[in-house]
Amino acid sequence: MTKESVGIVETKYLNIEEPIELDSGKILENVTVAYETYGELNKEKSNAILICHALTGDAHAAGWHEGDRKPGWWEIVIGPGKALDTKKYFIICSNVLGGCKGTTGPSSINPSTGKEYGIDFPVITIKDMVKVQKKLVDSFRIDQLYAVIGGSMGGMQVLQWLVSYPQMMKKAIPMATAAMSSPQQIAFNEVGRQAIFSDPDWNKGNYYETGKKPKNGLSLARMIAHITYLSDESMDIKFGRGLQDKDEISYDFTMDFQVESYLHHQGESFVKRFDANSYLFITKAVDLFDLSINDSLIDGFKTVEAIVEVISVDSDWLYPTEQSNDIVTALNANDVEVSFSEIRSNYGHDAFLLEKGQLNFILSKFLASNVVRDVMKEVIVTIKENADVVDAAKLMLDKQVTHIPVVTDDYKLIGIVTSWDLSKSIATNFKKLKDIMTTTVKYCYADDSIESVARMMNEYDISSLPVVDENMVVLGIITTDQISHLLS
C-alpha cells in the first residue's frame, strides 16, 4: 500500500425497494447493488464522480480490501494527488446489474423460487445497468454528478448516461468504447458464449446445485476475449516466440509457447472469480448496445448536454479509434462541447487500465474546474482612489503590473487604473488618480467559467479583470495570459 492509496476500503450494499422495469418489459424485484466510495461528498454534493467498470470488473476500483494482494482495478488514477483526487472528489463505483460481485445477477436468489436465477434471469441491457446506477446515485441525494467515467463496457455506460439522464452530469469521459457494437465485436462475444454452452457442466445454466462449474467453457471464453484486449505488438514484446519451460519444440499438442501458457493462466484465474452465467448476460447486453436512432448516431445524441472528452487507444483493434471518431462527429453535429484524446500505447485495448501517466494527464486536464478561481492571482496590488498618479506609476514599476484595481478602505472595487491611464495623465497633466481611473470597470466572479470570461475580455478588448465577491470586495485578478495558458 502506498501513501497515494485511499487505504483499506470495504464494499457496501444498497437494497432498492422499488421494482426495476427492464428494457425487455420484465420486472426485477429486490435488486441489490454492491458499491464502494472513496473521498468525501461535499456539502453542496457537487463533487461526485461515478466510475463505470468494464465487462468483468467490479465495484472495487481503488484501495485495498483486508488481506488483498493487489489493490482495486483503477488504483493508478484514484487516490490523493491522482487525477481522481479523493481529497477533492467523491468517487462512486458499483458492480453492474447482472454481475456476480454483489449486485443482483443470475447467481442471486430468485425471490419467487428461493433458488438461483440461473438462465431464468431476464436479459438485460446497458440501459438497465445505468437505470440501477441512477438509483444508487439518487440514494446519496445527488442532483448532478460532476462526471461519469468509464472504459470499454464502462464507456458504453457513460454514453448511455449522456442519453438517458442528460442533465445528471457536468462532464463525461467515455474511453476505448463504441456507441454501438460492431459485427466483429458481437462475433467474439458469441464464440465465448458458445464455449460456455458447450461445456457439459453448464447444465443449461443450472450448475449451482451440482457443485460443478463450467470451468472449461468459461476459461475458453476468457482466453478468446483476452486476445482481443491485447495488441500484436504487446504480445510480441511480452512473449515473442519464446518457449515455455522447454528448450526445443515438442512436436505434439502440449504447450510449446509462452503465449499459450499465459492464455491458459488467464482462463484458469478467471473461473475462480467470475460466474459463467453472468458472462453470458453481460456480453449479451454489450451486443445489444446501440445508441443510434433510425441508423443515425447524430439523432441518438440529440439530448446530450454535458461536456465530453472521448478517449481512444491507437493500438486498440477491439474498439478502434474510428469508433471513437464516430462518437466525436455525432456529438459535434449536435453542438456538444466535445474534445478528443488518443492514448499512444502498445498495450492495445487494455491501455485504459494500464497507461498511468497518460491517463492521469488527460483526466486531470479535462476534470479541472475551468473556473476563474483556479487561475486567478489572489495576492494582488490595489490602490486607494485618493492616491496620486505618481504613486500608481511607482507601484506598477515596482510590482511589474499594468492593471491596478482601485478600492475603498474596505477593499470594495470602485475602479481600475491601467498603464494606458498613466500615459493619459501625462498628456492631460492630471495629478490625482481619481481623475484618470476607469470607473465603469468590468469585473467577474471567482466561480465564472473561463470560457465566459474569455469571451467578455475579447468582446471589450481588455486584458485584465478584477475578481470580486458578491459584496464587490476584490479577491484577485485574472489576465488574458493566464487564460491563454490554461486553454493551451
Side-chain angles (χ1 to χ4, degrees):
M1 200 186 314
T2 67
K3 63 181 180 180
E4 293 84 14
S5 175
V6 296
I8 300 297
V9 298
E10 62 179 27
T11 304
K12 302 173 185 177
Y13 301 90
L14 172 71
N15 296 315
I16 301 175
E17 296 180 0
E18 60 270 28
I20 303 295
E21 184 176 353
L22 305 175
D23 264 2
S24 64
K26 294 186 177 181
I27 303 294
L28 265 182
E29 298 185 357
N30 302 326
V31 171
T32 296
V33 185
Y35 70 96
E36 293 185 8
T37 63
Y38 321 108
E40 298 291 333
L41 187 62
N42 62 19
K43 292 181 179 179
E44 299 79 18
K45 298 189 176 183
S46 61
N47 67 331
I49 294 178
L50 178 68
I51 305 299
C52 303
H53 70 70
L55 187 73
T56 60
D58 53 35
H60 184 39
W64 299 73
H65 288 164
E66 290 284 358
D68 270 357
R69 292 192 298 174
K70 61 180 182 179
W73 56 267
W74 226 19
E75 176 81 358
I76 61 171
V77 296
I78 300 174
K82 300 175 187 176
L84 304 183
D85 192 339
T86 47
K87 291 184 177 180
K88 182 178 182 180
Y89 302 117
F90 177 64
I91 310 298
I92 307 168
C93 184
S94 66
N95 187 213
V96 296
L97 181 67
C100 55
K101 290 303 183 82
T103 296
T104 298
S107 60
S108 302
I109 299 299
N110 183 342
S112 64
T113 65
K115 298 181 179 181
E116 292 87 352
Y117 280 99
I119 206 68
D120 291 332
F121 193 74
V123 170
I124 55 172
T125 65
I126 300 295
K127 186 176 181 181
D128 294 329
M129 296 176 183
V130 167
K131 182 180 290 188
V132 171
Q133 290 169 352
K134 174 67 161 53
K135 296 288 185 184
L136 173 62
V137 172
D138 288 344
S139 73
F140 291 101
R141 297 184 180 179
I142 295 170
D143 293 327
Q144 186 182 52
L145 292 161
Y146 183 68
V148 183
I149 307 172
S152 194
M153 187 187 81
M156 293 180 174
Q157 295 164 57
V158 173
L159 295 173
Q160 188 67 62
W161 266 95
L162 286 169
V163 172
S164 293
Y165 308 104
Q167 297 181 332
M168 267 300 296
M169 78 292 297
K170 290 184 177 179
K171 299 187 177 187
I173 309 177
M175 301 181 295
T177 194
M180 64 189 76
S181 288
S182 71
Q184 184 186 62
Q185 292 155 358
I186 295 170
F188 277 115
N189 286 338
E190 173 60 9
V191 173
R193 288 192 293 268
Q194 288 300 323
I196 294 171
F197 293 151
S198 64
D199 190 317
D201 289 333
W202 181 62
N203 195 32
K204 297 183 179 180
N206 299 314
Y207 53 84
Y208 301 105
E209 296 178 356
T210 67
K212 295 181 178 180
K213 297 180 180 180
K215 294 181 179 179
N216 291 335
L218 181 58
S219 177
L220 180 56
R222 178 62 172 181
M223 290 168 67
I224 295 165
H226 200 77
I227 295 170
T228 70
Y229 304 153
L230 308 174
S231 70
D232 183 56
E233 182 181 3
S234 69
M235 295 176 79
D236 186 56
I237 291 172
K238 190 169 185 176
F239 308 110
R241 290 183 55 83
L243 300 180
Q244 179 70 24
D245 298 329
K246 58 182 66 175
D247 296 323
E248 56 185 25
I249 299 294
S250 59
Y251 293 101
D252 57 26
F253 290 103
T254 59
M255 284 186 288
D256 283 317
F257 298 102
Q258 292 174 9
V259 67
E260 294 175 290
S261 176
Y262 171 78
L263 288 175
H264 280 274
H265 170 73
Q266 289 296 324
E268 291 165 5
S269 301
F270 186 62
V271 300
K272 296 175 183 178
R273 69 176 181 86
F274 213 81
D275 178 63
N277 283 336
S278 278
Y279 194 87
L280 298 176
F281 282 92
I282 293 175
T283 55
K284 189 65 176 180
V286 170
D287 291 354
L288 295 173
F289 186 65
D290 182 359
L291 288 180
S292 66
I293 296 177
N294 299 323
D295 294 324
S296 169
L297 194 53
I298 294 174
D299 289 344
F301 283 152
K302 279 192 179 299
T303 61
V304 175
E305 296 184 18
I307 302 171
V308 183
E309 166 81 10
V310 178
I311 301 175
S312 72
V313 180
D314 65 347
S315 58
D316 185 354
W317 59 274
L318 179 61
Y319 292 96
T321 294
E322 288 78 8
Q323 291 181 310
S324 291
N325 288 336
D326 290 341
I327 295 170
V328 173
T329 300
L331 290 172
N332 270 323
N334 284 293
D335 293 324
V336 174
E337 187 175 336
V338 58
S339 51
F340 170 74
S341 298
E342 185 179 56
I343 294 174
R344 300 300 177 92
S345 173
N346 60 27
Y347 284 126
H349 182 63
D350 271 353
F352 80 93
L353 297 169
L354 301 171
E355 287 287 358
K356 179 179 179 179
Q358 293 184 69
L359 281 167
N360 275 283
F361 176 79
I362 295 170
L363 296 178
S364 297
K365 183 179 179 182
F366 180 70
L367 291 174
S369 295
N370 294 340
V371 295
V372 170
R373 187 186 307 279
D374 294 329
V375 295
M376 71 181 188
K377 292 181 180 177
E378 295 183 18
V379 181
I380 64 167
V381 180
T382 59
I383 196 168
K384 305 293 175 58
E385 69 169 331
N386 58 358
D388 293 330
V389 169
V390 173
D391 295 328
K394 289 181 178 179
L395 201 54
M396 283 189 182
L397 282 173
D398 183 44
K399 301 298 182 181
Q400 295 186 337
V401 294
T402 58
H403 295 70
I404 302 178
V406 183
V407 298
T408 62
D409 289 337
D410 52 359
Y411 287 92
K412 290 185 177 180
L413 181 68
I414 56 174
I416 194 166
V417 60
T418 69
S419 54
W420 169 252
D421 294 323
L422 294 182
S423 299
K424 182 174 63 177
S425 71
I426 296 174
T428 56
N429 202 32
F430 283 121
K431 304 296 183 184
K432 289 294 183 182
L433 193 62
K434 63 182 179 180
D435 296 326
I436 63 165
M437 71 180 192
T438 301
T439 55
T440 55
V441 59
K442 300 294 180 183
Y443 56 86
C444 63
Y445 298 102
D447 290 326
D448 285 348
S449 72
I450 293 295
E451 290 78 9
S452 65
V453 170
R455 285 194 296 269
M456 183 194 303
M457 297 174 88
N458 182 62
E459 180 181 354
Y460 293 101
D461 194 23
I462 51 181
S463 59
S464 183
L465 280 179
V467 185
V468 300
D469 66 12
E470 62 274 15
N471 298 315
M472 293 300 291
V473 173
V474 176
L475 302 176
I477 198 163
I478 185 169
T479 67
T480 51
D481 285 344
Q482 291 166 297
I483 292 176
S484 297
H485 176 71
L486 176 68
L487 295 181
S488 67

